[in-house]
Amino acid sequence: MARRDDVIFDDLRAIQLRYGFLPKAELKGLSQRTQTPLYQIHCVASFYPHFHLAPPAKAEIRVCADMSCHLHGACELRADLERRFAGSRPEDVQIRDVSCLGRCDHAPAVSINDQIFTDVGAASAEQIARKALRGEEVAEPHPQQSRVNCKADPYESAEKYGVVRELAQSRAWDHVLAQLKAAELRGMGGAGFPASMKWDLVRKQRDPVKYVVCNADESEPGTIKDRFIMTHVPHLVIEGMLIAGLVTGAKRGILYIRHEYAMQQEILGEEIRRCYQASLLGKKILGSDLDFDLEVFVSPGGYICGEESALIEAIEGHRAEPRNKPPFPGQIGLWQRPTVINNVETFINVPQILARGVDWFTAQGVDGSRGLKFVGVSGHVERPGVFEVPMGTPMREVIFKHSGGIRGGRSLKAFAPSGPSSGYLPASMVDVRLDFKALADAGSMLGSGAIVVCDDATCMLDMALNAVRFYRNESCGKCVPCRVGSQKMTDLLVRWTRGSVSEPQYRADLALLDDLSQAMSQTSICGLGQIAPAPIQSVLKHFRAEIDAHVLWGQCPSGICFTAASRAGEAQRVGIRP
Ligand SMILES: Cc1cc2nc3c(=O)[nH]c(=O)nc-3n(C[C@H](O)[C@H](O)[C@H](O)COP(=O)(O)O)c2cc1C
Ligand code: SF4
Ligand code: FES
């Protein structure tokens, strides 16, 4: 009997749990047991950062190197840890970079033996690592979090799942689609695609088997809002998915969550159990003839898994390499069946709109924008965190009122409206509104609402390099423009941060950068390669004098590059993916 590919991760996780890594003999055994060619198993196991093909060190220290942690001294932290463990054997201690751990509001974040620690200094990280070295178990703290009341929750103290209770009786599926269309609900995962169109497409497919997938992968630096939503209003996520299932005729839902969100996995698992007990999930929902099953799928890791077709590949047990589109998942998605895929925040908007009406939803926005928006704010602000604000709120209000302004009394230099993919905007544009069109008109994007703030001591070339390096590290390598282009861009920016490039060479570099940017954005298979040029292009547009100073005069106006400390940190700053 051929095995189902999708269970491969369970097997691999079980082996890793037992041995701490994936021994060759075990992989061979798995191959024989499941009649899966060994190369196929290896091909999957070697793709995901979560799996170790060699025995890990006793203390595996991984320092998040991405935007928010970089702004909070991740380079220095790593260099300090390297010094503290200078004499250690490689089998005892390994220190490496890691991509965003989803704790950008508590930077810098570090993972030690896959447990995440936040707001860490070198001394506390050393202490935890020494514990691991002594063979003691290290466990990340799980602070008790009281639920925050969100404006987005239509139930407050009323009975939850009111929309589903009503729909199970009325079966007004067309009305649901009409309401979502009238509300102009758009996707909150980055691309902003109209939700009603996606659902309508799936509803119209004749296939008797369909799926609903919630994208809770949230791995772009600065993006932390879905973590907050799943912690505080998990019932709305489940209700949104359930409504999608009922409307489109899908009977199975999968909530795809990043493996670093252990606490949210627990919260959602508990809520799902409650729903099964209350007959809100499973067969014959609330005594009707409607069925919908829901499960949580824990991602084996990697930013690319958030791209919808790569995510589907991951659930199917393959390498998370994006598919060519079309066909879109709405036509041919999970296991080749029509599939609705939406972001966590998109799903929670659905019960809000249906419970309170389109007029209420429209009125939540300001200046012509609609609805509420959860934003994550990190970087150089006094109060990093997640805030629920009206769509259309000026960025100035988010940064200076909700997040308490720039920390240490410094001034604002730049901000990324949504992590590396939005590029950077200068302080002079801080009155831009948090809105799809307003940010697109400003040459940026609303994206997922991951605002990263830079103070006046930040080097913008350094920040562009940090962002490009992130894309280089996370490129899945399937297509040439992205795989090669992101590496070439990184090399080029590294040279610029080192100065001593002649003027003719600089002109040639700029021309090459433009060619690369065009080739990448026009020919890459997925959004990762298409957007990778955005950070450096935005810095060239808004901070050109700063780049000129580096390249032509060997000066970093912020005093970040060309220092002994930065040279010491250079290898880590641009290091190849560990
Ligand atoms: C590299 C890459 C990573 C992505 N990561 C996420 C993610 O973590 N969460 C998410 O909802 N969408 C992510 N997206 C967008 C998804 O491909 C897709 O558009 C989204 O899940 C659709 O949901 P929405 O329409 O509700 O926004 C990513 C896209 C790319 C190209
Ligand atoms: S653009 Fe990059 S991440 Fe996307 S498929 Fe191509 S190589 Fe992979
Ligand atoms: S946790 Fe470091 S950038 Fe997100």
Side-chain angles (χ1 to χ4, degrees):
M1 248 303 266
R3 76 196 305 273
R4 274 177 59 135
D5 282 345
D6 57 306
V7 297
I8 192 172
F9 296 125
D10 291 343
D11 294 327
L12 294 175
R13 281 192 183 113
I15 297 174
Q16 183 151 301
L17 195 66
R18 191 153 167 220
Y19 297 95
F21 75 111
L22 303 174
K24 273 187 196 148
E26 288 294 321
L27 293 185
K28 272 189 191 157
L30 179 63
S31 157
Q32 279 159 6
R33 267 199 319 280
T34 60
Q35 296 173 26
T36 312
L38 183 58
Y39 82 88
Q40 246 177 43
I41 293 180
H42 191 269
C43 172
V44 171
S46 61
F47 184 86
Y48 294 98
H50 186 53
F51 295 119
H52 312 295
L53 291 170
K58 286 184 191 151
E60 284 276 344
I61 307 174
R62 296 176 187 205
V63 181
C64 172
D66 288 329
M67 280 167 94
S68 317
C69 291
H70 187 67
L71 288 168
H72 281 271
C75 263
E76 294 75 5
L77 172 62
R78 182 173 162 169
D80 196 341
L81 285 168
E82 303 263 11
R83 278 193 296 276
R84 287 168 189 253
F85 289 103
S88 304
R89 297 178 310 167
E91 58 271 34
D92 286 336
V93 181
Q94 286 279 352
I95 303 173
R96 305 174 204 203
D97 282 353
V98 69
S99 290
C100 176
L101 292 164
R103 307 294 197 279
C104 326
D105 47 345
H106 290 285
V110 166
S111 135
I112 299 175
N113 292 0
D114 289 331
Q115 301 291 306
I116 299 173
F117 302 89
T118 56
D119 297 308
V120 288
S124 57
E126 180 187 358
Q127 219 174 34
I128 301 163
R130 296 227 177 265
K131 222 173 141 188
L133 266 173
R134 290 194 297 270
E136 294 170 32
E137 201 180 326
V138 295
E140 67 185 63
H142 281 286
Q144 209 58 35
Q145 281 204 339
S146 46
R147 292 264 165 102
V148 171
N149 287 332
C150 297
K151 259 183 112 179
D153 190 352
Y155 302 121
E156 291 166 8
S157 55
E159 192 181 33
K160 291 175 190 157
Y161 301 95
V163 173
V164 164
R165 288 176 208 283
E166 225 179 280
L167 272 177
Q169 302 223 324
S170 72
R171 294 167 170 260
W173 318 134
D174 288 332
H175 180 67
V176 170
L177 287 177
Q179 296 284 96
L180 298 188
K181 189 171 177 193
E184 295 178 20
L185 175 63
R186 295 175 64 172
M188 299 291 174
F193 191 81
S196 65
M197 276 173 73
K198 204 181 266 188
W199 289 27
D200 197 30
L201 175 70
V202 176
R203 180 165 154 74
K204 285 190 176 129
Q205 304 298 309
R206 285 168 178 258
D207 201 319
V209 181
K210 302 175 185 178
Y211 298 102
V212 173
V213 174
C214 176
N215 189 342
D217 193 52
E218 179 157 90
S219 302
E220 176 151 347
T223 317
I224 44 177
K225 63 162 180 93
D226 293 341
R227 192 191 75 206
F228 183 92
I229 293 171
M230 291 186 285
T231 307
H232 299 291
V233 283
H235 55 287
L236 296 187
V237 185
I238 292 168
E239 188 171 29
M241 292 183 71
L242 185 41
I243 297 168
L246 298 181
V247 169
T248 60
K251 294 193 180 347
R252 188 172 164 200
I254 297 175
L255 195 149
Y256 187 104
I257 189 167
R258 63 178 303 180
H259 68 83
E260 293 89 345
Y261 284 178
M263 193 212 255
Q264 288 67 32
Q265 287 160 32
E266 248 174 60
I267 292 173
L268 287 160
E270 237 170 68
E271 187 65 26
I272 290 173
R273 270 192 296 283
R274 267 199 290 272
C275 286
Y276 271 104
Q277 277 165 8
S279 181
L280 284 155
L281 285 174
K283 304 274 173 280
K284 300 193 185 307
I285 291 170
L286 299 168
S288 67
D289 60 350
L290 302 164
D291 306 335
F292 191 73
D293 283 298
L294 181 53
E295 68 202 87
V296 172
F297 181 98
V298 179
S299 174
Y303 168 58
I304 193 56
C305 293
E307 196 281 336
E308 55 188 13
S309 61
L311 180 152
I312 287 173
E313 289 289 318
I315 297 179
E316 290 184 4
H318 309 143
R319 291 163 77 91
E321 290 177 351
R323 296 175 178 175
N324 285 311
K325 290 186 250 177
F328 295 96
Q331 301 154 304
I332 298 183
L334 184 59
W335 292 301
Q336 309 300 311
R337 307 293 193 162
T339 305
V340 170
I341 300 191
N342 278 121
N343 171 256
V344 171
E345 193 179 7
T346 316
F347 279 121
I348 70 152
N349 271 291
V350 174
Q352 285 179 63
I353 293 167
L354 299 176
R356 288 154 155 174
V358 176
D359 289 344
W360 175 89
F361 183 75
T362 309
Q364 296 315 297
V366 292
D367 274 347
S369 304
R370 291 162 175 242
L372 298 163
K373 178 86 192 87
F374 284 91
V375 287
V377 188
S378 61
H380 292 147
V381 285
E382 285 286 358
R383 282 193 304 273
V386 177
F387 307 96
E388 185 185 26
V389 298
M391 191 77 101
T393 303
M395 203 62 85
R396 179 190 294 280
E397 201 177 311
V398 178
I399 296 174
F400 288 94
K401 192 174 135 204
H402 297 284
S403 299
I406 310 305
R407 65 168 193 179
R410 300 203 70 99
S411 56
L412 175 69
K413 178 169 186 177
F415 59 98
S418 191
S421 23
S422 65
Y424 299 97
L425 294 179
S428 59
M429 294 174 82
V430 73
D431 288 313
V432 64
R433 293 183 315 110
L434 198 73
D435 172 82
F436 286 103
K437 183 167 183 317
L439 278 159
D441 289 347
S444 181
M445 62 192 231
L446 177 70
S448 58
I451 302 164
V452 183
V453 177
C454 306
D455 71 14
D456 55 347
T458 310
C459 169
M460 296 316 293
L461 177 55
D462 180 52
M463 289 309 289
L465 172 58
N466 181 270
V468 169
R469 191 204 62 140
F470 166 75
Y471 289 120
R472 188 276 314 268
N473 288 353
E474 294 299 322
S475 166
C476 81
K478 179 173 175 174
C479 63
V480 174
C482 170
R483 184 178 70 234
V484 178
S486 60
Q487 180 61 57
K488 277 201 172 302
M489 250 182 205
T490 307
D491 293 344
L492 201 142
L493 297 196
V494 168
R495 274 214 317 277
W496 288 4
T497 60
R498 288 179 176 161
S500 66
V501 173
S502 69
E503 212 170 324
Q505 181 62 52
Y506 185 31
R507 276 200 299 276
D509 280 356
L510 286 169
L512 175 63
L513 194 65
D514 268 349
D515 282 352
L516 278 174
S517 299
Q518 271 194 34
M520 288 171 75
S521 45
Q522 287 170 17
T523 64
S524 294
I525 289 179
C526 85
L528 189 152
Q530 291 160 8
I531 208 70
I536 181 59
Q537 287 299 349
S538 68
V539 170
L540 274 168
K541 182 170 170 192
H542 299 294
F543 302 94
R544 175 64 189 264
E546 216 172 300
I547 300 186
D548 287 349
H550 280 81
V551 184
L552 299 175
W553 302 298
Q555 287 168 6
C556 173
S558 312
I560 304 273
C561 311
F562 311 115
T563 59
S566 98
R567 286 201 187 285
E570 199 79 46
Q572 294 118 39
R573 209 166 64 175
V574 296
I576 301 285
R577 184 189 182 129

